Amino acid sequence: MVRYLEAGESHGKGLVAIIEGLPAGIPVDIDAINWQLARRQGGHGRGGRMKIEKDQVEIITGVRDGKTIGSPVTLMIHNKDWANWEQIMSSEPGAAIDQKTVTLPRPGHADLTGGIKYNHQDLRNILERASARETAIRVAVGALAQNVLKQFGVELWSHVVSIGSVQAQPDYANLNDALYDTPVYCTDSDAEKAMIAEIDTAKEHGDTLGGVVEVVVHGLPLGIGTYVHYDRKLDGKLAQAVMSIQAFKGVEIGMGFEAARVPGSQAHDEIFYEAGRGFYHKTNRCGGLEGSMTNGEPVIVRGAMKPIPTLYQPLHSADFLTHAEGLASVERSDACAVPAAAIVMQNAVAWTILESFLEKFGGDNLDEVKRNYNSYLDYVKAVMQ
Ligand code: EPS
């Protein structure tokens, strides 16, 4: 129905995406896309690269007079840092490939296995693509997906649940745009202070910190996704989307792993019925997904990000070419990118939700999708009564 491919290296010219299958007639809010990109660059603990970049999306194809026209949409984000890497990263024969070479692989990064697998002498050829810089274009694509979802009253929020050893008590009433003007995108101000302190300590020690982020999706009708086949299950697709983000090592939906520790009587959401309201739940332990389909409650997904593998106090490594003992390469990095990862995950989830949404209601133009959507809502309302 809808698909995209994206490309780009961290210090190349830029990042690009081609999106195919968006209905015609979708208003494209470029400011909203750039707002998401700016939030991705933010958060306490970010490093030097974010001082160089000011990510802005350029729309190259598929949009006219502010609306999609049904043809593939091409997005581009230019890397400002390219100016400093033009010789080294040049596509022309004769590029300065003897400069900024990387031969000491970082534990936890793609460097070592990637170097062997792709048969490179310079591990820069791996890290350039494995870098989390790539998440900028995924955010742009997801932000465009949010443009579409907004037409149907679907809203997504993301926030930081923990950083290092600091755990927040989330306050869902604080999920609003102002949250992203705060240093760590956390709804609990006490936890925020402790998180900032822990990031600063890690930075002083040349160390890095991971954390847990959560995405909440409001406004989805029941029945998005399906139980009938493995590759169309919405919980499975969401897990793939989250786990494909750099440094993410875990994903939970609703109660997640906690559901495995309690008896069934405390793990499920009992069903109630009220005339006029229809079927409803008093709890949302399943995170809005039952049988791999939305059940009408907010969808709640959490992702665990490990600490970034580039440490200014590097870990033990061995030279890729000489095999000599050494310390891992230090590529400029962030002490903590967990707040940024919340924005990345929000947009990765937005894309996956859009895929399943259009699988159900898809059409070639916005009016057609709206007709499909409204007629389904009428049907659900009738069944509920
Ligand atoms: C990032 C850009 C990168 C890193 C970071 C995320 O830029 P540079 O390598 O030029 O500093 O700051 O990526 C990593 C730490 C990593 O290990 O991949 C970005 O745009 O988010």
Side-chain angles (χ1 to χ4, degrees), residues 53-307:
E53 302 298 340
K54 190 175 183 305
D55 293 334
Q56 303 256 296
V57 74
E58 184 187 349
I59 298 176
I60 296 177
T61 71
V63 178
R64 187 170 183 220
D65 192 27
K67 287 184 180 164
T68 55
I69 56 171
S71 43
V73 174
T74 308
L75 305 179
M76 175 154 194
I77 297 169
H78 294 267
N79 287 331
K80 286 200 187 323
D81 210 10
W82 166 245
N84 304 315
W85 290 80
E86 224 169 312
Q87 302 301 318
I88 299 166
M89 291 297 293
S90 171
S91 59
E92 300 290 321
I97 54 166
D98 53 340
Q99 290 177 34
K100 298 255 192 197
T101 53
V102 177
T103 60
L104 280 151
R106 289 161 296 169
H109 221 288
D111 305 342
L112 178 58
T113 306
I116 298 168
K117 180 175 162 68
Y118 288 90
N119 192 19
H120 286 300
Q121 301 281 295
D122 181 3
L123 301 178
R124 173 158 305 285
N125 288 336
I126 307 306
L127 74 85
E128 284 291 335
R129 178 66 186 155
S131 165
R133 176 81 195 134
E134 179 255 0
T135 60
I137 196 71
R138 288 187 70 187
V139 166
V141 171
L144 187 55
Q146 290 195 66
N147 271 211
V148 185
L149 291 169
K150 208 175 146 195
Q151 296 293 321
F152 301 88
V154 179
E155 270 193 355
L156 290 96
W157 299 99
S158 56
H159 63 115
V160 170
V161 172
S162 72
I163 288 182
S165 68
V166 184
Q167 184 77 36
Q169 291 296 324
D171 179 355
Y172 291 93
N174 282 343
L175 286 181
N176 52 51
D177 285 352
L179 177 68
Y180 308 102
D181 293 328
T182 67
V184 285
Y185 309 166
C186 177
T187 58
D188 171 347
S189 54
D190 290 335
E192 172 190 282
K193 288 185 198 83
M195 286 172 181
I196 293 169
E198 201 157 312
I199 294 168
D200 290 343
T201 308
K203 197 172 177 178
E204 270 165 40
H205 293 110
D207 218 332
T208 54
L209 285 181
V212 173
V213 296
E214 185 175 85
V215 173
V216 183
V217 190
H218 289 286
L220 283 170
L222 62 84
I224 309 291
T226 177
Y227 59 90
V228 302
H229 210 67
Y230 73 93
D231 59 345
R232 291 168 61 209
K233 290 179 185 236
L234 184 51
D235 44 12
K237 285 172 56 126
L238 287 168
Q240 197 281 334
V242 172
M243 290 297 286
S244 68
I245 303 168
Q246 287 80 345
F248 275 61
K249 296 298 268 187
V251 60
E252 290 186 321
I253 293 176
M255 276 178 86
F257 277 54
E258 191 52 31
R261 296 183 197 111
V262 297
S265 54
Q266 292 164 41
H268 301 292
D269 303 295
E270 290 182 284
I271 299 167
F272 298 87
Y273 181 83
E274 200 181 290
R277 181 174 176 184
F279 298 102
Y280 70 97
H281 307 94
K282 292 181 180 172
T283 51
N284 185 17
R285 292 162 169 163
C286 68
L289 286 157
E290 287 178 293
S292 306
M293 299 169 288
T294 54
N295 70 350
E297 303 293 340
V299 169
I300 300 178
V301 191
R302 271 183 305 281
M305 184 194 195
K306 69 180 179 182

Side-chain angles (χ1 to χ4, degrees), residues 10-11 40 46 49-50 81 106 109 130-133 135 308 310 331-334:
S10 182
H11 305 103
R40 191 204 74 90
R46 288 291 245 165
R49 178 73 183 270
M50 292 305 112
D81 210 10
R106 289 161 296 169
H109 221 288
S131 165
R133 176 81 195 134
T135 60
I308 287 175
T310 309
E331 183 82 1
R332 177 184 49 201
S333 186
D334 311 303

